[in-house]
Amino acid sequence: MVPTPAARLKTEPVKSPRRPGYGPPDLEALYYTHQVAAARWSADGRFIYLETNITGRFNIWRMPASGGWPEQLTVADERTRLEGPSPDGRWLLYTQDRAGNEKPNIFLIPATGGRPRNLTRTENIGYRSIRWSPDGRLVAFAAERDGPGQYAVYLADVKSAEVTRVAGTEAGQCAGLRWSPDGRRLALTRTFDFLHSGITLLDLDTLEEKVLVPVDEGHITMAVDWLPDRRHLVINSNANGADVEAVGLLDTVTGRVDWLTLDEWESYALAVSRAGPEFIYVRNVAGSHRAFVRTPAGPETPIPLPEGVYLSAEFDPSGRRLLLLYASADSPPEVWRLDRPAGRLRRLTRTLVGGLTRRNFVRPQVAVYPSFDGTPIAAFVYVPPNIRPDGSHPAIVYAHGGPTWQHQNGWFPDIQFLVSRGFLVIAPNFRGSTGFGRPFQEANRKDLGGGDLRDLVAALDFLKGSGYVNPKAVAVMGASYGGYLTLMALSKYPDLWAAGVAIVPFANWFTEFENEDPTLQAYDRVMMGDPVADADLWRDRSPIFFADRIKAPLLLLAGANDIRCPVEETRQIAEAVRAAGGVVEVKIYENEGHGFSRRENRIDAFRRVADFLRRHVPGVRP
């Protein structure tokens, strides 16, 4: 049994809510709902920049801080990501890749919009943690300009576009960086496997690097930002006696860490104020967030939004207003502004369209069930309204990606649509998930597709015990690592499933490792060992070698430019299932990568999912 705070959660009997008039939302209206992926204050606090797909493509928009219809600043067909405004308010940084290949360039435009300037002009180079210097003259970033997967540290002069390398990778790859308030140092989050991490301090005058928190093979420590005193860093870390992620205060002179939010549940800081010693942090209880504002010395003030998920938060330059990007199971991400000290909270965006309201969607119940070894597994259970516990209803076991991730109490339009079609959906946080402490997160190390798969399969017993589900009408579905687990479930437990849907999956550990992005190769070595020394394990956990066992019809969806789970993985498993006489349907989107960002592709993909499940799973509503 793996220790986890999920053991202290209470499980109520599964219950279908009564909702007169509830029915399936229009699929196109659901996916025309606007997505807000990022929100940032302008330098003077008068405006808010948004990364949103109002037009069906993600671009940068600007709206008044008081609210109102935004104006579009970038016009691009490719995915555009907001990085942030310059401290003097003159410029705005964003990145843009090609057809989802995750190898962007960095662009600069006037803060009010205008002709973009490509600051980097590279091809097939990854960039991370792009940050303005406090004086606005330089941009710091980590990039693989030395070679694939080698994330060194660079400074770009905004005026001349000259790029200077200031730190290499001897101390680890740079996964993140933060400028000190005086602009003379960079706090670097260093890693060797893009999972475990430590912190160093780079002096930009001498280019000497000091280790503050060493990188080890078991802990995660990340720099969030500096306090205004120029000495202390707010960090998120599980390198404490409780083995639980918490917010710490790191003294950059002595190396001392004072733990500020240590609790049985994980917590982490989202933002630090530039105006005073304050930060915003989230307490994550089994995937539901509560957020607080506090000082290092305490006390703390709760942010008055109900349980959901905080995707980002930011103080305005004065520290008197907060910008929050918040979502819940029945609401897409919305931008909220909290005015302090009065505590006035105002929603600035309205993303639902086509007459959809929160009553069109259901909130999940939290359930805990025992896995094969007695480990308690926490899950979210989405139950269609107005159904009877007569054992006739279809269900889906929904596997999250990562695997170092967590299914949270946020916005999942695909789940909501499936629930509206009569599916009871269970989304387990199997071993290896974040949010339940370090022992639970590390429990699938060198066992991917083993214990975590059995945790997933154990959800079936919970579904059967609910009284609602027809055991012959259960499908398994997931994306990325969840797509891999879907293929594993279909091949290792072939008699349990009516159908399977694998989105951007991988199927063969050997070819996945050979062809994936180098940053993931380092992660895979930690999690699965060596492809030669551990070849037996790699083969046993590769669905491609057991494709002849797959009995259930299978739908595969992939992006042609995926660098995480290359499209060849989808083609391999499709050919193997066909060769064995299985039923498989495939759609590859030529202008997408690891996931689908273009609206028409999202609509097409989910229309295929809904139609596939309707044809192959008994009891689905028309």
Side-chain angles (χ1 to χ4, degrees), residues 353-365:
V353 300
L356 296 177
T357 70
R358 298 180 75 163
R359 287 193 60 79
N360 291 102
F361 312 111
V362 300
R363 295 183 180 183
Q365 303 168 213

Side-chain angles (χ1 to χ4, degrees), residues 117-120 156-163:
R117 178 160 63 100
N118 190 331
L119 196 62
T120 47
D157 185 286
V158 173
K159 186 175 181 181
S160 68
E162 180 181 356
V163 176

Side-chain angles (χ1 to χ4, degrees), residues 32-114:
Y32 265 81
T33 290
H34 305 153
Q35 292 178 273
V36 181
R40 298 288 303 275
W41 290 106
S42 66
D44 59 9
R46 295 173 54 214
F47 295 95
I48 294 166
Y49 295 104
L50 304 176
E51 177 189 324
T52 180
N53 71 339
I54 292 173
T55 63
R57 297 291 185 272
F58 281 94
N59 275 284
I60 311 302
W61 299 62
R62 187 181 74 158
M63 67 185 298
S66 58
W69 184 254
E71 58 178 319
Q72 187 172 350
L73 302 185
T74 65
V75 181
D77 191 55
E78 300 289 2
R79 177 64 190 258
T80 303
R81 297 182 186 273
L82 173 64
E83 297 298 337
S86 61
D88 60 11
R90 296 178 59 197
W91 304 102
L92 188 68
L93 279 174
Y94 68 88
T95 61
Q96 196 173 93
D97 69 2
R98 291 183 181 177
N101 71 352
E102 298 187 57
K103 303 294 182 182
N105 273 288
I106 303 173
F107 291 85
L108 191 70
I109 59 169
T112 55

